[in-house]
Amino acid sequence: GNTPLNESLIYMIDMIPMFQKKYGIEKTTFITLTDGASNYHRDKIYGSDEHVSYESQNVYQIGKKKYAPRRGKSFTSTLLTHIKNECDCNVIGFYIVKRVKRWDIERYIKDYKDYMDKDRQFARMRKEMTTNKAIAVDNDGYNKYFILDGKKLNVENFDMNEAEIKKGTASELKRLFGKSMA
């Protein structure tokens, strides 16, 4: 429901058309980068320990349409589909996993005849992940969705709050920001 990724998507729904119009862009590619932590609905009010009932939920009005997170359906995919259709965008997603577990790959295997077929598909995808450090999978709301092996990317967390700022000049802040993006 009300996750950081979904809040960003709601904000972008208004920004993309303005950006396209301002710069005369005919086709846009919208890219998401996630660790997957915010792609499910929680029955909790953020900022408190209080839980909400199953019947109550947020309703978001986007343009003339109203959307509400539903159990069993990713609200993120609903928002991405809206962006795709209303903004005429290609939507590309990158999902970085810390350690590649069977579940991280297997949950994207949708069409299989039996367990043996599913296992063969998993083995093929796992081999591709080992060889290329990434695999392309189908995911609702995205034109293309890639799972990336975070361990092989050598990604490190960087906290700007802990960075030592000496002068506070624009060039120093730019350097620190660049370091955080490495």
Side-chain angles (χ1 to χ4, degrees), residues 92-119:
I92 312 280
F94 294 95
Y95 169 31
I96 301 174
V97 293
K98 288 182 185 177
R99 288 178 298 285
V100 181
K101 298 176 189 155
R102 186 175 184 99
W103 166 250
D104 291 321
I105 297 172
E106 197 172 64
R107 68 183 174 158
Y108 295 101
I109 302 172
K110 307 261 193 277
D111 298 321
Y112 56 91
K113 293 180 252 176
D114 54 26
Y115 180 77
M116 294 297 288
D117 182 41
K118 185 176 183 178
D119 204 45

Side-chain angles (χ1 to χ4, degrees), residues 151-180:
K151 199 168 191 172
K152 304 295 181 192
L153 294 174
N154 296 323
V155 175
E156 294 180 25
N157 287 334
F158 184 88
D159 189 352
M160 288 288 284
N161 293 326
E162 294 177 10
E164 185 180 330
I165 300 173
K166 295 177 182 169
K167 298 177 186 173
T169 62
S171 61
E172 181 184 21
L173 294 175
K174 180 181 174 185
R175 181 185 54 76
L176 285 172
F177 183 74
K179 183 178 178 184
S180 74

Side-chain angles (χ1 to χ4, degrees), residues 5-14 60 62 75 79:
L5 177 60
N6 290 340
E7 289 175 4
S8 298
L9 293 175
I10 291 168
Y11 175 75
M12 293 306 296
I13 288 170
D14 292 332
Y60 300 91
I62 302 170
F75 188 50
L79 293 173

Side-chain angles (χ1 to χ4, degrees), residues 21-39:
K21 185 177 179 182
K22 181 177 180 178
Y23 295 103
I25 297 171
E26 293 178 22
K27 191 66 175 175
T28 304
T29 299
F30 183 76
I31 299 172
T32 65
L33 176 65
T34 183
D35 63 0
S38 63
N39 286 339

Side-chain angles (χ1 to χ4, degrees), residues 77-95:
S77 68
T78 302
L79 293 173
L80 290 170
T81 300
H82 180 86
I83 288 173
K84 244 192 320 192
N85 295 337
E86 297 297 318
C87 303
D88 191 29
C89 288
N90 287 317
V91 178
I92 312 280
F94 294 95
Y95 169 31

